[in-house]
């Protein structure tokens, strides 16, 4: 249902193209405000801290956004092209959208001090000189303009404190012009996250100017309905995207609470849905599971977000609309990707093919994980990390399972133990085979077992590879006859993994679970347990067990 509402019709695209051409004209520019407001009657406080490390980079002329670093020490690279930066188009577009979105203002605000304030003003002034009068291109794409307006307003206290008259005039005029423009453009933005970004910018602008409109709030809520499923998950199936979106909604909700509780109440339903789903994805260390482009995020910030949301709902066991299963047995936690691929969204990274992959942790120790995702949308890492080989699941041959694969799941619980029977047909067209996975978590949470089956086929034999990626905090050693792996977790706890039905080995792997303090990729080396076999005219069955030692 949500996916259907993300469709962009030919008529809408045609109207948007015509509108974009109109916005670029001098005549349209004349319709926007030409007089700055004397003040902004109400302003939110910046809800979330920035990264001082990123402010330091910006002082050095290093612009690190969306996993790409551009060095430009003499001036801000507002108009540098993909060719000039030697970037592929998706990587450049994502980098430029973050540059022009101005989220990095909060990094200067967090650093604080007069020098940071002057630098932030100088960068903003240089943007106004280059782009304020020409409403065209990526800098004025409605979602980018919406995010920029949101962040300008969020940093207004910081920017205007002690500012001279000219800066204050130009800044306030720019806010008025952005708001007026978004009042035209937001409703024509492509559905999904772009429309949400444009609408939330419009709502902030109207509120800050003392011109709140119920219609804008209703349009924002309608945009959210296309993004948030009934069980609280995000349509992208990405836990990090859910986290980021909830941060934006909580910040706006708390701002509106002080102004008009009735308008704030319009967002309450989304908080009550999303907060329990965010809890669903948390491992015992407080971070998020790595599915569909997500990363761990910062546990303390997740905790703060949940506290500020004031939504107390508990996580589901089966989030069927989002396509996930969650099993808790004492200190053991098993999270399973039991859904189909999410709908493709504009400017999104490659879809992840981790069908039936899982993550397992015990207490604060992550043991079996997926590899995560790069912050860079384009490039080799994005493609590699989206493949099934970067997930704790099975791959067949050299290809990938079909994006339109059908997934089925059965869950049975008895005396505290949980058994999952899962299946997908993503290999049917390429290999005429089904993949069935059975996962059993014992009531004590210290015994996880798996049975992996590739069905028979009269076609050519194909190599099947089971990969179980280990968290970088886990040290692994292959012992005995080669079918046993001893694991030592980050806390020093020992675990034994045993496999049967294929050839077992340890291989290198990589973990993109974190970014550094400035938002750049921070990959870590790790290991993976690999089991291989040949699927032929009889079913291939791998069996394995992971048990705690002592």
């Amino acid at each position: 249902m949500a996916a259907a509402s993300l469709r962009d019709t030919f008529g809408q695209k045609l109207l948007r193209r015509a509108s974009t051409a109109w916005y670029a004209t001098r005549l349209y520019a004349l319709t926007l405000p030409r007089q700055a407001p004397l003040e902004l009657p109400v302003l939110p406080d910046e809800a979330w801290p920035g990264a001082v490390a990123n402010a330091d980079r910006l002082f050095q002329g290093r612009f690190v956004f969306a996993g790409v670093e551009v060095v430009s020490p003499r001036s801000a690279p507002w108009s540098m092209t993909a060719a000039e930066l030697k970037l592929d188009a998706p990587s450049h577009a994502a980098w430029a959208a973050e540059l022009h979105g101005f989220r990095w203002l909060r990094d200067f605000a967090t650093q604080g001090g007069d020098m940071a304030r002057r630098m932030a003003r100088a960068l903003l002034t240089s943007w106004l000189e280059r782009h304020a009068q020409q409403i065209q291109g990526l800098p004025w794409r409605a979602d980018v303009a919406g995010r920029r307006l949101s962040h300008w307003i969020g940093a207004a206290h910081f920017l205007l404190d002690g500012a001279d008259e000219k800066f204050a005039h130009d800044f306030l005029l720019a806010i008025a012009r952005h708001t007026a423009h978004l009042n035209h453009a937001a409703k024509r933005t492509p559905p999904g996250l772009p429309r949400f970004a444009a609408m939330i910018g419009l709502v902030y602008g109207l509120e800050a100017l003392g011109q709140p409109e119920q219609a804008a709030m209703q349009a924002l809520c309608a945009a959210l309905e296309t993004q948030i499923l009934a069980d609280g998950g995000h349509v992208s199936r990405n836990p990090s995207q859910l986290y980021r979106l909830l941060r934006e909604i909580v910040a706006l909700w708390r701002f509106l609470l002080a102004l008009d509780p009735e308008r704030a109440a319009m967002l309450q339903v989304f908080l009550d849905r999303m907060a329990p789903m965010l809890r669903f994805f948390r491992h015992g260390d407080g971070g998020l599971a790595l599915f569909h482009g997500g990363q761990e995020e910062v546990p303390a910030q997740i905790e703060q977000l949940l506290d500020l949301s004031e939504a107390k709902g508990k996580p589901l066991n089966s989030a069927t609309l989002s396509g996930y299963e969650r099993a808790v047995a004492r200190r053991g936690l098993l999270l399973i990707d039991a859904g189909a691929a999410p709908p493709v969204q504009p400017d999104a990274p490659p879809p992840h093919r981790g069908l039936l992959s899982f993550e397992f942790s015990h207490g604060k120790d992550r043991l079996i994980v997926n590899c995560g995702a790069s912050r860079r949308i384009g490039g080799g890492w994005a493609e590699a990390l989206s493949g099934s080989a970067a997930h704790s699941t099975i791959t067949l041959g050299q290809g990938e399972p079909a994006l339109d694969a059908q997934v089925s799941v059965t869950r049975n619980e008895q005396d505290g133990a949980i058994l999952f029977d899962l299946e997908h047909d993503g290999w049917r067209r390429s290999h005429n085979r089904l993949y069935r996975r059975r996962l059993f978590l014992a009531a004590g949470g210290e015994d996880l077992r798996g049975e992996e089956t590739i069905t028979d086929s009269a076609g050519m034999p194909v190599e099947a590879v089971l990969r179980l990626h280990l968290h970088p905090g886990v040290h692994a050693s292959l012992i005995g006859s080669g079918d046993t792996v001893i694991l030592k977790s980050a806390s020093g706890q020992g675990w034994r993994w045993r496999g049967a039905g294929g050839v077992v080995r340890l291989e290198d792997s990589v973990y993109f679970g974190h970014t550094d303090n400035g938002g750049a990729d921070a990959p870590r080396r790790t290991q993976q347990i690999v089991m291989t076999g040949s699927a032929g005219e009889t079913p291939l069955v791998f069996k394995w067990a992971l048990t705690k030692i002592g």
Side-chain angles (χ1 to χ4, degrees), residues 117 121 157-164:
R117 186 175 286 105
R121 286 181 191 148
H157 283 303
F158 171 71
L159 292 166
L160 292 172
D161 183 17
D164 61 46

Side-chain angles (χ1 to χ4, degrees), residues 278 281-289 295-299 302 366:
L278 190 64
F281 289 116
R282 297 186 79 184
H283 279 289
D285 60 7
L288 302 179
Q295 296 190 334
E296 290 187 22
E297 307 302 341
V298 181
I302 297 171
R366 297 189 190 220

Side-chain angles (χ1 to χ4, degrees), residues 256-408:
L256 292 176
L257 272 178
L259 302 177
D260 186 343
E262 188 173 324
R263 287 203 304 283
M266 297 173 69
L267 299 175
Q268 188 69 54
V269 63
F270 300 104
L271 304 182
D272 291 341
R273 273 194 244 165
M274 297 168 71
M277 195 62 198
L278 190 64
R279 292 186 179 99
F280 180 103
F281 289 116
R282 297 186 79 184
H283 279 289
D285 60 7
L288 302 179
L290 275 54
F291 293 108
H292 290 278
Q295 296 190 334
E296 290 187 22
E297 307 302 341
V298 181
Q301 293 181 10
I302 297 171
E303 190 67 32
Q304 180 191 24
L305 172 61
L306 291 169
D307 287 343
L308 291 176
S309 76
E310 299 182 13
K312 306 301 182 184
K314 294 182 179 180
L316 301 168
N317 289 327
S318 297
T320 53
L321 293 175
S322 294
Y324 289 101
E325 294 288 330
R326 184 176 191 267
V328 179
R330 294 192 180 179
R331 301 183 69 207
L333 172 64
L334 175 65
L335 293 168
I336 307 171
D337 181 349
V344 176
Q345 299 208 60
D347 301 312
H352 280 233
R353 311 290 187 103
L355 291 167
L356 305 190
S357 65
F358 73 91
E359 294 200 346
F360 177 69
S361 61
H362 186 266
K364 294 185 177 182
D365 289 332
R366 297 189 190 220
L367 298 172
I368 297 175
V369 296
N370 295 315
C371 290
S374 171
R375 287 277 288 132
R376 181 170 174 174
I377 287 180
W381 274 121
E383 193 68 34
L385 292 167
S386 69
S388 55
H391 299 78
S392 290
T393 187
I394 271 187
T395 59
L396 290 186
Q398 301 301 311
E400 296 288 354
L403 282 174
D404 61 352
Q406 298 297 306
V407 179
S408 65

Side-chain angles (χ1 to χ4, degrees), residues 182-258:
L182 288 171
N183 225 349
H184 297 294
K187 57 182 174 288
R188 297 192 177 99
T189 309
L193 286 174
R195 186 171 297 173
F196 168 79
M199 291 307 312
I200 198 169
L202 174 59
V203 169
Y204 270 117
L206 291 170
E207 295 288 347
L209 291 167
Q211 304 164 5
E213 291 183 9
Q214 189 73 2
M217 277 298 298
Q218 290 171 343
L220 174 64
C221 291
L224 276 172
E225 284 291 356
T226 71
Q227 294 295 288
I228 306 303
L229 302 170
D231 61 13
H234 187 258
V235 292
S236 69
R237 306 191 61 226
N238 179 342
S240 288
Q241 187 60 67
L242 177 69
Y243 164 70
R244 290 191 290 266
L245 204 57
L246 184 57
R247 277 168 62 105
E248 295 192 58
I249 298 168
V250 165
L252 178 59
W253 173 71
R254 294 184 71 84
F255 176 44
L256 292 176
L257 272 178

Side-chain angles (χ1 to χ4, degrees), residues 163-185:
D164 61 46
E165 188 175 329
K166 184 179 187 313
F167 176 84
H169 172 274
D170 293 348
F171 180 57
L172 295 178
L173 178 59
I175 285 176
R177 289 173 68 85
H178 272 68
T179 304
H181 171 63
L182 288 171
N183 225 349
H184 297 294

